[in-house]
Amino acid sequence: MDHGEDGRLDRQLAFLIEADRLKHVLRATTLVDGSRPENSGEHSWHLALYAMVLADQAPPGVSIDRVIRMLLIHDLVEIDAGDAPIHGDYDPVALALAEEAAADRIFGLLPPDQSAGFRALWAEFEAVQTQDAIFAKALDRSQPVVHILQNDGRGWRDYGVGRDGFLRLVGARVERGAPVLWRWLWARAERYFR
């Protein structure tokens, strides 16, 4: 190996080592069995599996491979910025700034060609404008609902989530990207919001 290849591998492995820290970021959502909080690394892996299994719920033209890639990296910024539950109390402007800085730092560990591609894919997910990002966001909002349903609504009670907030922050995103999945989820979640 020449020095250039060593340097590239150094950067790639530095990124992968840094990404391992995502396993230490705890989320508000618990595991399906309610035994402990899920970590963001587990969440990202589970969402990639959601994309594979629920690919038939994607609108025409969605690239499931791109969705999986988005979902695997979408929360890496939480290494620096932490997890902010959507029903929690946080400053969205401050969070967005912290996540942008985290994206610059974390994706900047990679070689420039990979750094630019990963950073752009993360930004696409955050912007929620492309069909791939819309579907990815729908899955990201669906997975915690499935967990909370398995825990008899515990997460919604813990955060005092009301019907309007749930429909606005979760329902609108899921329905936009995966309408059949949304109907399935709402048929099971509605009783918690009466």
Side-chain angles (χ1 to χ4, degrees):
M1 245 185 237
D2 67 23
H3 181 65
E5 289 174 353
D6 279 349
R8 183 171 178 83
L9 276 171
D10 286 343
R11 293 188 74 158
Q12 290 169 326
L13 291 168
F15 170 81
L16 291 169
I17 291 165
E18 184 67 10
D20 188 73
R21 292 181 54 208
L22 194 61
K23 297 173 188 175
H24 296 283
V25 177
L26 296 181
R27 297 173 46 80
T29 306
T30 64
L31 298 180
V32 169
D33 69 3
S35 63
R36 65 172 174 82
E38 175 184 48
N39 71 53
S40 287
E42 292 166 330
H43 169 71
S44 296
W45 161 80
H46 207 197
L47 281 177
L49 194 56
Y50 265 61
M52 290 174 64
V53 171
L54 300 175
D56 62 344
Q57 298 298 313
V62 167
S63 168
I64 294 301
D65 288 344
R66 285 190 84 249
V67 169
I68 290 169
R69 290 193 341 250
M70 272 183 203
L71 294 171
L72 286 172
I73 67 167
H74 82 287
D75 277 342
L76 284 173
V77 295
E78 292 181 2
I79 292 168
D80 291 353
D83 177 56
I86 62 169
H87 300 291
D89 185 23
Y90 63 92
D91 177 348
V93 174
L95 178 63
L97 291 172
E99 289 182 345
E100 287 283 339
D104 290 343
R105 185 189 75 76
I106 295 164
F107 298 126
L109 295 171
L110 286 162
D113 60 317
Q114 288 184 313
S115 176
F118 280 50
R119 180 71 167 73
L121 195 61
W122 175 81
E124 180 182 341
F125 175 83
E126 289 298 310
V128 198
Q129 297 297 315
T130 66
Q131 287 299 310
D132 293 347
I134 291 167
F135 185 64
K137 184 65 80 169
L139 296 178
D140 186 39
R141 295 288 166 91
S142 297
Q143 187 254 10
V145 173
V146 173
H147 284 226
I148 292 168
L149 287 170
Q150 292 300 304
N151 285 286
D152 196 31
R154 181 172 131 199
W156 298 318
R157 285 191 307 276
D158 291 349
Y159 280 86
V161 178
R163 180 186 180 102
D164 290 346
F166 179 75
L167 292 174
R168 180 174 43 84
L169 296 171
V170 177
R173 291 289 192 176
V174 179
E175 186 173 31
R176 181 178 179 208
V180 174
L181 176 59
W182 170 245
R183 287 193 295 276
W184 188 93
L185 291 170
W186 183 239
R188 287 149 183 82
E190 183 177 16
R191 68 187 180 99
Y192 294 100
F193 298 101
R194 290 187 179 141

